[in-house]
Amino acid sequence: MVRVRFAPSPTGYLHLGNARTALFNYIYGKHTGGKLILRIEDTDRERSKKEFEDLLIDDLKWLGIEWDEGPDVGGDYGPYRQSERNEIYKEYVEKLKNSGHVYKCFCTPEELEEERKKALSEGRPPRYSGKCRNLTEEDIKDYEQEGKPYVWRFRVPDGEFIIFEDLIKGTVEINVDEFGDFVIVRSDGSPVYNFVVVVDDALMKITHVIRGEDHLSNTPKQILIYRALNFNEPKFAHLPIILGEDRSKLSKRHGAVSVRAFRDDGYVSEAMFNGLSLLGWHPKGDNEVLDKDEIIKEFDIEDVHNAPAVFDRAKLKWLNGVYIREKLDIDDLTQRAVPFFEGFGYKADFDYYKKVLLAIRDSLETLMDIEERAKPFFVDEFHYDEEAQKYLKEEEGYKVIQVFYDNLKELDSIDRSTFKSITKKIQKDLGVKGKGLFMPIRSALTGTTSGVDIALLVEVIGIERVKERIKRALEYFG
Ligand code: GLU
């Protein structure tokens, strides 16, 4: 039974990199019929905030990621917040003390900094010298009597190579001398990430650790701890780094990088899910527009690329447009668009929003585009732009809207076919067609010469508002 986990630190918004990690864990869990565990890594007491945890959970749910165990849903292997697992960690630190895998280190930060500088100046990788490795009982007693603070360090076997098969990177081989004895428990008694993550993954029976490549250098340390505690080692899969289009590590410099920002910018979750799945993975065929179920079916962790993934913002936007225009059910789309309409100050009921969307959805890439595209359906007191004025000032154009108005007078409703027959009639009567016919009408109804399908617009806004807008133009340009 596959058990995977997503283990975010609640220190900020969920960004694309972490969202991709969560997504790949979720997809792989589903693909294999396994379970996904959400674990909150809130050991950094200063930076961790419950509010960020809530936001993370909300963003994950929005993306369509569901977990089987976690702080909000419980499970057999909890608690699922590291801050609630201190007793457990203590027990395992004890084990390491008893087996001699850790020792007290009294070196001061100044001494360590000195060592570090010296190593760097001599061109050696900085690592702990092992000074406190072989302190005698007496040394230790003396230091303790002086009240010297100490950390617990893991005794790393000299010169050993840690070799493991990464499901994405292939064989990874690291000489432990590159890092040397590392801290397990800080001087304030708090255990460090590399230690608690192993205890948690082992006790939560995680079978596959799927996470960002930035954690690759932690893995050998973690493997040493697995071995010291006689835990079964999970399989590891390190996901490729995500780059911006300039090939530097994706960061805020590249624009929005949090899931929240994309939500606010009018991206729909299905497009985000699909777009994130393509960061380091590609379906077998040419078609990249795949829904959740198709991705789950096709995805395998071994197929994730080893090379960096480049985040293509334009492609995500395009994908978003595809979902808005072609994939989402109209009621569902309307539901999601309501907060956007309201945010733009466009007030109406659900049915009206739905009609507007039916008229404009073909022109939308994000829900933010609603502001511009839906304007003619809500704003009656608009200004005529330069192009529009040109059409309405011309005698011919003015005549068109005069005749148009004459044809409207008797009507008490209008739909697209009425509109079409009226324009046909004007075409015949006045001998104008094409732009000469439609641009004046469009200009009078919207104040501009491009945008929405006018036949749909008149049907949605209704006869009274059409009459008013034409009358307004007649008065303005008359
Ligand atoms: N809490 C770590 C992070 O947010 C994840 C650790 C892991 O996946 O092992 O980067």
Side-chain angles (χ1 to χ4, degrees):
M1 166 68 116
V2 166
R3 287 175 60 85
V4 287
R5 78 332 186 248
F6 176 53
S9 303
T11 54
Y13 289 110
L14 180 66
H15 59 74
L16 294 182
N18 273 342
R20 195 264 316 251
T21 299
L23 192 91
F24 281 27
N25 274 288
Y26 169 75
I27 299 171
Y28 186 62
K30 284 281 173 222
H31 177 78
T32 53
K35 295 225 181 306
L36 173 64
I37 287 89
L38 175 68
R39 182 174 70 231
I40 300 295
E41 304 213 318
D42 56 350
T43 45
D44 183 339
R45 300 308 297 152
E46 264 166 38
R47 290 174 56 226
S48 299
K49 296 218 162 61
K50 180 66 172 55
E51 153 201 350
F52 285 130
E53 177 186 320
D54 295 341
L55 289 170
L56 281 170
I57 288 184
D58 191 60
D59 282 341
L60 290 169
K61 286 189 175 158
W62 177 81
L63 272 171
I65 294 175
E66 296 141 3
W67 44 97
D68 304 281
E69 297 166 30
D72 55 336
V73 292
D76 293 340
Y77 300 88
Y80 294 94
R81 268 186 213 99
Q82 288 186 329
S83 59
E84 294 164 15
R85 297 174 63 80
N86 281 326
E87 291 310 311
I88 301 173
Y89 303 139
K90 274 193 196 136
E91 187 188 326
Y92 285 90
V93 171
E94 274 322 299
K95 282 191 204 274
L96 290 179
K97 289 181 194 169
N98 293 336
S99 60
H101 282 98
V102 291
Y103 62 87
K104 286 178 183 167
C105 166
F106 294 90
C107 293
T108 64
E110 294 75 27
E111 285 169 325
L112 295 172
E113 181 55 23
E114 201 57 39
E115 257 185 22
R116 207 183 71 88
K117 277 194 193 141
K118 190 151 176 271
L120 286 175
S121 72
E122 289 167 8
R124 288 182 286 119
R127 65 184 180 106
Y128 181 60
S129 65
K131 194 168 158 196
C132 294
R133 235 187 200 199
N134 299 309
L135 293 180
T136 62
E137 289 290 319
E138 239 155 80
D139 293 333
I140 296 177
K141 226 190 240 145
D142 286 349
Y143 283 141
E144 282 180 341
Q145 258 160 15
E146 285 170 35
K148 263 190 123 179
Y150 61 86
V151 300
W152 286 95
R153 267 185 203 277
F154 191 89
R155 202 183 292 275
V156 174
D158 291 323
E160 192 167 313
F161 279 86
I162 301 288
I163 302 167
F164 64 96
E165 278 311 309
D166 188 282
L167 294 172
I168 297 168
K169 308 237 145 273
T171 307
V172 177
E173 192 178 314
I174 297 178
N175 182 346
V176 298
D177 286 350
E178 282 174 27
F179 51 84
D181 295 355
F182 56 91
V183 177
I184 289 281
V185 181
R186 299 183 192 90
S187 58
D188 65 1
S190 62
V192 306
Y193 157 74
N194 274 321
F195 172 69
V196 296
V197 79
V198 169
V199 172
D200 289 346
D201 285 339
L203 297 184
M204 293 180 184
K205 300 214 165 18
I206 301 303
T207 57
H208 295 70
V209 169
I210 303 172
R211 61 184 169 199
E213 193 179 271
D214 48 328
H215 283 292
L216 193 59
S217 61
N218 289 321
T219 306
K221 293 179 187 168
Q222 294 174 12
I223 289 177
L224 286 169
I225 300 171
Y226 276 101
R227 292 180 185 168
L229 288 171
N230 282 321
F231 284 145
N232 287 332
E233 291 168 38
K235 292 198 163 71
F236 290 96
H238 289 91
L239 305 173
I241 186 173
I242 304 175
L243 305 179
E245 268 147 288
D246 61 355
R247 302 233 142 217
S248 68
K249 192 168 182 251
L250 187 69
S251 74
K252 283 193 190 126
R253 279 186 309 108
H254 296 97
V257 286
S258 71
V259 169
R260 181 74 40 167
F262 282 96
R263 282 173 77 164
D264 292 346
D265 284 347
Y267 283 72
V268 296
S269 57
E270 288 81 354
M272 284 305 283
F273 192 103
N274 193 163
L276 288 170
S277 81
L278 300 174
L279 289 174
W281 175 79
H282 199 278
K284 290 186 183 68
D286 287 337
N287 178 25
E288 292 186 320
V289 185
L290 299 181
D291 68 23
K292 192 166 160 174
D293 290 340
E294 291 168 317
I295 294 168
I296 288 170
K297 197 156 161 240
E298 232 194 273
F299 181 91
D300 211 340
I301 196 72
E302 273 112 357
D303 298 336
V304 173
H305 312 151
N306 191 2
V310 177
F311 174 56
D312 183 342
R313 206 170 279 274
K315 186 158 154 191
L316 181 63
K317 197 169 191 186
W318 167 79
L319 207 47
N320 199 57
V322 172
Y323 278 88
I324 289 180
R325 295 188 301 268
E326 299 165 25
K327 301 273 171 193
L328 296 182
D329 160 78
I330 186 64
D331 282 305
D332 183 13
L333 177 65
T334 310
Q335 204 94 52
R336 301 185 205 204
V338 169
F340 287 85
F341 279 114
E342 289 175 348
F344 301 133
Y346 298 159
K347 297 209 171 54
D349 61 15
F350 188 85
D351 265 357
Y352 189 79
Y353 288 147
K354 184 168 151 182
K355 282 184 197 151
V356 173
L357 281 171
L358 280 169
I360 65 168
R361 79 188 286 187
D362 281 347
S363 68
L364 300 181
E365 259 191 323
T366 74
L367 298 177
M368 270 299 188
D369 296 338
I370 288 174
E371 176 165 33
E372 207 39 50
R373 311 299 300 191
K375 202 185 242 166
F377 297 85
F378 294 92
V379 180
D380 295 300
E381 304 282 309
F382 45 80
H383 135 99
Y384 303 96
D385 70 19
E386 220 175 288
E387 280 286 295
Q389 297 204 21
K390 232 169 63 195
Y391 280 105
L392 293 169
K393 277 179 185 157
E394 271 169 20
E395 213 183 305
E396 204 176 74
Y398 192 78
K399 184 82 192 154
V400 168
I401 62 165
Q402 255 178 336
V403 179
F404 182 58
Y405 190 68
D406 291 341
N407 281 283
L408 292 176
K409 268 197 216 142
E410 304 305 311
L411 299 180
D412 49 19
S413 74
I414 189 166
D415 60 14
R416 53 196 116 154
S417 64
T418 333
F419 177 78
K420 278 179 189 145
S421 47
I422 297 175
T423 50
K424 264 206 192 107
K425 189 163 174 291
I426 302 174
Q427 184 174 335
K428 247 215 227 126
D429 294 349
L430 296 184
V432 286
K433 56 178 182 184
K435 277 192 174 180
L437 171 60
F438 289 100
M439 284 306 181
I441 298 177
R442 172 184 291 284
S443 301
L445 288 173
T446 68
T448 108
T449 53
S450 65
V452 65
D453 180 326
I454 294 295
L456 292 178
L457 175 72
V458 300
E459 180 172 302
V460 175
I461 65 176
I463 189 67
E464 287 315 318
R465 289 167 78 192
V466 172
K467 282 182 191 169
E468 270 164 41
R469 288 188 194 186
I470 300 295
K471 207 164 95 194
R472 180 168 170 257
L474 287 170
E475 279 159 15
Y476 190 94
F477 294 97

